[in-house]
Amino acid sequence: MTDKKATLTVDGIDKSIEFPVYSGTLGQDVIDVRGLTAEGMFTYDPGFVSTAACESSITFIDGQKGVLLHRGYPIDQLAKSSNYIELCYLLLFGELPSDEEYDKFAQLISNHTMVHEQIVNFFKGFRRDAHPMAILCGVVGGLAAFYHDNLNITNEKERYVSAVRLIAKMPTLAAMCHKYNIGQPFMYPRNDLSYGENFLYMMFGNPCEEYKINPVFAKAMDTIFMLHADHEQNASTSTVRLAGSTGANPFACISAGIAALWGPAHGGANEAVLAMLDEIGEESEENIQRFIDKAKDKEDPFKLMGFGHRVYRNFDPRAKVMKETCDEVLEQLGMADDPQLKIAKRLEQIALEDEYFIERKLYPNVDFYSGIILKAIGIPTNMFTVIFAMSRTIGWISHWNEMIAGGHRIGRPRQLYTGHPQRDYPAK
Ligand code: CMC
């Protein structure tokens, strides 16, 4: 915080209005405009381009420099040296765990992986061909009906129980969505496996034969979980915060976050990237250029999927790690010549040299390469966004917890009304 002030003068108002300016530990200063309503005005910022909606100490992004820090630690260092469970602890509690704290936390998560047996009945109500994100939205919201024993959100311990339940049960529910789609029996979690191994086991195992976990896949899954774990006040996290600001229970809030994530401008982009690569078809300059031209055409709503970001205007540090992971995984699987990987790389190269993308500072984002890795692991395309939701659950719940613990007001934006002025209902 500083003693800096911002002064606003408005045509037609003869006094100027002063606002406090705050500095965080990093990043741009913010002007506290809360006093503006007393002057009979609001700010107008569709898309929240210039609005900080809250104070937070979880994640920091510098979009100009391509920096992403979780509790101060750079994402590339975390991806290289940490693991998803440790990152969950860090995001939730603010510090890295000691060995003892880590073991206790990992054990606790393992102890909560099973879901209530009646949740199976919930699944049975869905059509087999339902999109797994549709199922996940419903089932996660429905968890409040099964785990209402710890829903007093003013109690820190009860909030922690819900957080642990969500982190632990998301892979189980995600894998159940897939199994339901393909008509195979649900696999109970195995608590002797790591978070990533267990997810693969529940996705690809079946009761008839032993499933051998490929360590390359398990490591890649863990990296994907880490790269998606949190991203400060993105659309789905802001949705979770807004829902949570009303006092709604955490399962309802996370379900709202899943709904917001589903859109192709957000988490749905990973599925859309693969659809785009499929549509490009064969690798040829002509095919790729057609899609670049389509993305640049103002008359066409199509956007190059996996490209661009509201905050990153240089590069997305997650995309850098994701591309390296993609190269490593495909190399280890003997798939370095994968045709879609080749198309993606060529597409990236052409876009990065094109004036349209240079001028608008559009770079590949985290979702550009994630789908290629997931596909190589054997994950069906309709599960890509579900995996994003699983990974992001820790970010959502950490922000929700921070907001509830820190004190907050209900989120209630205003509007610039452009409708009809008051008029009388016609006499009959
Ligand atoms: N392809 C072509 N043009 C683009 C693209 C793209 N992918 N992204 C932005 N633009 C253009 C946009 O049309 C606009 O052009 P102009 O100034 O001529 O009107 C300019 O670049 C600025 O874009 P914007 O739409 O104002 O940017 P935004 O901050 O509102 O949107 C975005 C950010 C991520 C929604 C957008 O870039 C996009 O739709 N990208 C494709 C979807 C995608 O990959 N989403 C995943 C985001 S990262 C994962 C996550 O956090 O969910």
Side-chain angles (χ1 to χ4, degrees):
M1 306 283 168
T2 64
D3 54 4
K4 275 195 250 173
K5 294 230 179 306
T7 308
L8 175 75
T9 53
V10 183
D11 286 352
I13 299 181
D14 52 14
K15 67 166 184 174
S16 52
I17 311 163
E18 274 199 345
F19 302 102
V21 174
Y22 307 137
S23 300
T25 35
L26 294 169
Q28 287 153 301
D29 287 354
V30 300
I31 305 171
D32 180 350
V33 293
R34 282 175 292 182
L36 200 54
T37 50
E39 306 295 336
M41 274 176 284
F42 303 123
T43 54
Y44 178 61
D45 184 20
F48 304 115
V49 179
S50 302
T51 298
C54 63
E55 188 183 321
S56 179
S57 58
I58 300 175
T59 289
F60 173 76
I61 300 174
D62 184 330
Q64 299 300 330
K65 295 194 186 127
V67 169
L68 168 61
L69 309 177
H70 292 315
R71 302 287 192 182
Y73 297 104
I75 187 64
D76 53 328
Q77 292 181 21
L78 289 164
K80 189 162 167 264
S81 310
S82 183
N83 65 54
Y84 183 68
I85 289 294
E86 187 179 58
L87 180 55
C88 287
Y89 187 100
L90 176 68
L91 288 169
L92 206 49
F93 294 109
E95 292 298 338
L96 288 167
S98 65
D99 290 349
E100 198 186 321
E101 285 165 339
Y102 176 87
D103 290 344
K104 207 172 145 200
F105 183 67
Q107 189 58 52
L108 188 63
I109 300 292
S110 291
N111 289 346
H112 282 272
T113 50
M114 248 188 344
V115 294
H116 193 289
E117 199 60 24
Q118 269 175 266
I119 288 177
V120 171
N121 299 334
F122 237 62
F123 274 85
K124 287 187 181 154
F126 287 99
R127 281 172 55 136
R128 286 274 173 200
D129 60 356
H131 194 289
M133 280 296 278
I135 304 180
L136 196 71
C137 270
V139 176
V140 171
L143 291 181
F146 293 90
Y147 302 106
H148 45 72
D149 54 339
N150 277 273
L151 286 188
N152 176 4
I153 63 164
T154 61
N155 182 303
E156 189 183 347
K157 196 170 151 278
E158 294 198 22
R159 287 202 303 276
Y160 183 48
V161 172
S162 292
V164 166
R165 280 179 166 154
L166 275 156
I167 302 162
K169 294 181 201 308
M170 278 303 267
T172 314
L173 294 172
M176 285 171 84
C177 291
H178 171 60
K179 289 296 193 193
Y180 188 73
N181 265 182
I182 60 169
Q184 284 190 6
F186 299 134
M187 297 296 284
Y188 286 113
R190 267 186 48 194
N191 293 351
D192 59 319
L193 300 176
S194 73
Y195 198 80
E197 287 170 341
N198 179 45
F199 175 63
L200 291 171
Y201 165 76
M202 291 186 292
M203 279 288 293
F204 299 119
N206 70 63
C208 309
E209 58 195 28
E210 194 193 343
Y211 172 68
K212 285 210 171 59
I213 296 156
N214 182 332
V216 176
F217 290 179
K219 171 86 183 53
M221 284 312 307
D222 202 68
T223 305
I224 289 173
F225 296 156
M226 290 176 86
L227 294 177
H228 288 95
D230 189 40
H231 215 221
E232 53 119 301
Q233 311 308 325
N234 57 87
S236 57
T237 303
S238 297
T239 302
V240 170
R241 279 191 180 256
L242 194 60
S245 76
T246 69
N249 73 72
F251 301 107
C253 298
I254 301 302
S255 171
I258 295 170
L261 185 79
W262 195 359
H266 194 5
N270 53 12
E271 186 176 340
V273 170
L274 250 275
M276 178 181 77
L277 294 176
D278 276 343
E279 240 188 284
I280 292 176
E282 263 176 45
E283 192 210 347
S284 76
E285 292 298 295
E286 197 191 326
N287 280 355
I288 296 174
Q289 193 57 51
R290 201 156 39 87
F291 274 77
I292 299 271
D293 293 342
K294 218 168 128 57
K296 288 160 58 177
D297 182 357
K298 285 281 146 218
E299 303 301 312
D300 192 326
F302 171 78
K303 285 200 168 144
L304 207 56
M305 285 295 135
F307 251 77
H309 196 274
R310 167 64 61 79
V311 186
Y312 293 122
R313 296 292 174 188
N314 186 332
F315 69 95
D316 179 342
R318 303 169 301 171
K320 212 164 153 245
V321 181
M322 195 66 90
K323 188 177 180 184
E324 283 162 18
T325 309
C326 188
D327 280 335
E328 270 166 38
V329 171
L330 270 66
E331 178 78 49
Q332 280 164 325
L333 296 177
M335 292 170 64
D337 281 339
D338 179 68
Q340 282 189 318
L341 179 62
K342 279 186 167 170
I343 296 175
K345 284 192 172 169
R346 186 66 192 130
L347 188 66
E348 177 186 359
Q349 198 181 15
I350 295 177
L352 292 182
E353 286 165 5
D354 189 299
E355 204 42 50
Y356 174 95
F357 293 88
I358 296 170
E359 224 174 67
R360 290 168 179 77
K361 300 185 186 334
L362 301 169
Y363 296 87
N365 59 50
V366 68
D367 286 328
F368 194 65
Y369 284 102
S370 64
I372 297 175
I373 313 179
L374 291 172
K375 192 178 167 205
I377 292 175
I379 309 257
T381 320
N382 65 1
M383 283 295 290
F384 291 2
T385 313
V386 169
I387 288 169
F388 193 155
M390 248 175 80
S391 321
R392 182 57 60 85
T393 295
I394 181 57
W396 291 331
I397 204 71
S398 301
H399 281 271
W400 171 81
N401 188 49
E402 179 184 66
M403 180 184 71
I404 304 289
H408 65 282
R409 296 180 76 181
I410 187 170
R412 189 8 177 133
R414 300 303 303 266
Q415 62 174 4
L416 171 66
Y417 177 68
T418 53
H420 211 287
Q422 181 171 337
R423 49 182 161 169
D424 289 327
Y425 185 78
K428 282 193 181 147

